[in-house]
Amino acid sequence: MNEWKALNGRITLFPTVPVPAPLPSAFELYRRVWGGDPDNYQKQANALLPTVAQGTRNGIAVQLVSQPARIDFSLSPPPAPGAITPSIDLIENTSQFHAELTRIIDVLAKGAISNPVLRVALGVQFVSLKTDVIETNKTLMAVMPVPYRVKLTDEQDFVFQINRPQVSSRVESIRMNFVTTWRAQRLQVVNFTILAAGMPVSASKDTSLAQPHPEVKEFIAASVSFDNNNVPAGPLTSSQQSELLLEGIARVETGQREIGLNIEEF
Amino acid sequence: MRGFPHTVYHRAMIILSSTSGSPADISSGPAEDYSYANLTGSSEFDFVGIAPIRSERQVLKTYFSSVAVLEQWELSQNYQELGEALNEMAALEGADEWRIEPSVYHAASYVAAKLREDSVPAPQIFTHGPESVVFNWSDDNNDNLYLTISANEISALISSPERITQRIDYSASQFLNPSHLLPFAHLGRPIILISRSDTDLPELIE
């Protein structure tokens, strides 16, 4: 069984030109992509704050954030139902994760966003949970190309990033960044309790519930991230946006195999 | 030496006042009175009839091993006030001198978001009627930068107490890469932009 799994994925669009029309809200975009209402929606409370739509679709937690200068589609693992102890959830169904990224790209290709877009980005992070920093470093070195490998034992906070920019193979004259980052990533999960609205604190017989304090657990993981995006040059058509994103996802597919993550469903 | 985490996930839990579909005891005492569910979707929110909470899990992209940028908090606060001001101006009606057109509101919001993204200090704001807003920065020498934003144009005017020292007009097409404009947003002196290069994407600011 492959120890590497997806932790999250993101597609980002950067609109350009302060056009006299607003970007579509996260609610509208959510419906266009997933065909139903989000589970949660936050309308815009301030000109510079985003609209946010969240839900779970096909076993993936999805979040849409729309604000004046960018739109983010984020995919992450849904929290385990009923989980009490803090834990790191990973995306187990990688093929579905890939399908959801592709679904977003397909909808964008059909012109889901009519505002001019200057730049698109696709990011995917894969991790392998480890028990200590030595194991983490060892795992990272195993998936780094030989020319870049360094000797690591118990050093912390290792980060190594490279960019291999190239002209797009799908959209003429557009230059793309293909950024890969290897990182020993420390993660902290905090569970905290919130009393339901209208529920008097005194209703709790347990004083620890009346004044809840967060439960904290730390984790460490070997992490490899791919961040593929175009260099801004001019407004992109819907078709160009989707072509660049498809190129981005294709490079993740080949890139993760080249370095040895070997995630079959991606 | 113990390191600090790179990333913090916040997972909220809600204590419901009656049983729900996914009970799970977390204490040995009042289990019969309370049940617990992760805030993972609307079903739990709907069940208790409370307003949705935006996110039960947040990834804070903070590298605690590094020194934090303290100015960010104040910057966020100042831009929040700017956003509120824009909201209020857009909501005004009739002949109110502070009223702005919706198209100006959207353009100004876009420019403000870009400025915030690049950690440019938040400007003061005033209007020139409903068809434009003016962002203003000034320094200790009473030098001023005025960024006048209308639906399709932006002009920057830099002035000293004695005279106008520079004026630049931008058409919409020059906003293809707003960072070309932004260095002028500080009294004509170049400023160092954070996360602004062809490779780096700006951080998501929520």
Side-chain angles (χ1 to χ4, degrees):
Chain A
M1 188 175 166
N2 197 328
E3 62 180 337
W4 289 94
K5 296 190 185 304
L7 180 62
N8 57 57
R10 188 159 83 189
I11 288 176
T12 307
L13 291 93
F14 295 89
T16 185
V17 183
V19 292
L23 289 173
S25 71
F27 186 88
E28 294 168 59
L29 282 174
Y30 189 100
R31 295 189 69 166
R32 286 178 205 173
V33 176
W34 286 287
D37 289 348
D39 297 333
N40 307 315
Y41 175 64
Q42 176 187 289
K43 65 181 181 181
Q44 191 174 34
N46 177 311
L48 302 182
L49 291 178
T51 56
V52 181
Q54 294 174 316
T56 302
R57 286 290 182 271
N58 305 314
I60 307 280
V62 299
Q63 175 171 275
L64 247 161
V65 179
S66 177
Q67 50 191 314
R70 65 187 289 162
I71 296 171
D72 288 88
F73 301 79
S74 299
L75 306 179
S76 58
I84 298 300
T85 306
S87 60
I88 293 288
D89 305 303
L90 303 178
I91 296 174
E92 298 294 334
N93 190 343
T94 310
S95 61
Q96 190 61 49
F97 174 61
H98 186 282
E100 294 302 324
L101 285 170
T102 309
R103 179 202 305 275
I104 297 166
I105 297 170
D106 286 345
V107 174
L108 294 173
K110 292 170 185 163
I113 298 169
S114 58
N115 309 65
V117 168
L118 179 70
R119 192 177 195 188
V120 296
L122 182 140
V124 176
Q125 183 178 17
F126 297 106
V127 297
S128 173
L129 291 174
K130 294 293 163 188
T131 53
D132 57 47
V133 69
I134 295 173
E135 278 299 305
T136 303
N137 287 343
K138 194 175 163 186
T139 302
L140 280 172
M141 289 310 109
V143 294
M144 281 187 73
V146 173
Y148 306 139
R149 279 184 197 168
V150 293
K151 282 188 179 178
L152 290 178
T153 52
D154 60 351
E155 295 85 350
Q156 297 192 5
D157 297 355
F158 174 78
V159 182
F160 181 76
Q161 178 172 299
I162 55 169
N163 180 21
R164 292 193 179 101
Q166 288 178 16
V167 175
S168 167
S169 61
R170 292 176 177 245
V171 181
E172 195 178 357
S173 304
I174 294 288
R175 197 166 169 80
M176 286 194 76
N177 298 303
F178 297 104
V179 181
T180 308
T181 308
W182 291 260
R183 170 178 292 148
Q185 180 135 39
R186 285 191 301 272
L187 307 127
Q188 187 181 72
V189 176
V190 182
N191 273 5
F192 56 94
T193 54
I194 304 167
L195 293 179
M199 179 180 175
V201 171
S202 59
S204 170
K205 296 174 186 172
D206 186 333
T207 53
S208 67
L209 293 177
Q211 293 183 337
H213 53 272
E215 191 181 1
V216 180
K217 194 168 180 185
E218 293 182 7
F219 299 86
I220 190 165
S223 163
V224 177
S225 311
F226 297 91
D227 190 349
N228 301 335
N229 58 80
N230 70 292
V231 177
L236 302 168
T237 64
S238 297
S239 169
Q240 289 173 323
Q241 293 167 36
S242 67
E243 287 298 321
L244 292 173
L245 289 168
L246 286 171
E247 186 168 356
I249 202 169
R251 285 294 291 257
V252 178
E253 291 164 14
T254 54
Q256 63 96 358
R257 284 184 174 80
E258 282 172 4
I259 63 173
L261 302 189
N262 296 322
I263 301 166
E264 288 185 10
E265 301 85 3
F266 198 98
Chain B
M1 193 178 92
R2 192 171 181 219
F4 292 95
H6 295 144
T7 307
V8 178
Y9 288 83
H10 284 180
R11 177 184 294 163
M13 298 187 68
I14 189 164
I15 302 175
L16 307 178
S17 55
S18 62
T19 56
S20 77
S22 56
D25 302 340
I26 60 170
S27 72
S28 57
E32 68 277 14
D33 294 336
Y34 302 101
S35 61
Y36 312 94
N38 285 320
L39 283 185
T40 55
S42 65
S43 57
E44 281 95 1
F45 301 140
D46 295 340
F47 179 78
V48 294
I50 61 173
I53 295 174
R54 193 178 107 198
S55 175
E56 71 281 4
R57 172 189 286 183
Q58 289 188 329
V59 178
L60 306 178
K61 283 195 175 281
T62 304
Y63 295 85
F64 292 108
S65 299
S66 306
V67 177
V69 181
L70 293 176
E71 293 82 2
Q72 289 300 315
W73 182 85
E74 186 180 355
L75 194 67
S76 294
Q77 193 73 14
N78 292 341
Y79 272 95
Q80 187 168 331
E81 290 170 8
L82 177 64
E84 287 167 4
L86 284 168
N87 265 25
E88 290 171 11
M89 292 160 80
L92 293 171
E93 295 176 349
D96 193 302
E97 63 178 333
W98 284 91
R99 182 181 73 84
I100 56 172
E101 298 286 348
S103 57
V104 177
Y105 167 81
H106 296 307
S109 299
Y110 176 91
V111 173
K114 283 294 183 188
L115 294 169
R116 167 69 185 92
E117 208 170 69
D118 287 316
S119 298
V120 175
Q124 301 292 313
I125 184 172
F126 56 90
T127 63
H128 271 331
E131 293 184 357
S132 66
V133 296
V134 180
F135 288 171
N136 169 237
W137 295 260
S138 58
D139 67 10
D140 295 339
N141 300 322
N142 282 331
D143 292 331
N144 278 274
L145 167 67
Y146 301 96
L147 209 58
T148 303
I149 303 160
S150 63
N152 299 309
E153 289 179 349
I154 290 185
S155 65
L157 189 146
I158 300 166
S159 71
S160 68
E162 294 79 30
R163 62 189 181 88
I164 294 171
T165 56
Q166 194 174 4
R167 181 188 169 104
I168 310 163
D169 293 312
Y170 303 94
S171 65
S173 63
Q174 288 171 295
F175 278 87
L176 295 181
N177 189 343
S179 62
H180 293 167
L181 162 68
L182 294 177
F184 292 100
H186 197 62
L187 300 179
R189 293 191 295 269
I191 58 171
I192 297 170
L193 301 175
I194 295 176
S195 297
R196 177 57 67 183
S197 73
D198 281 350
T199 301
D200 293 334
L201 294 172
E203 287 290 316
L204 173 63
I205 302 164
E206 292 187 53

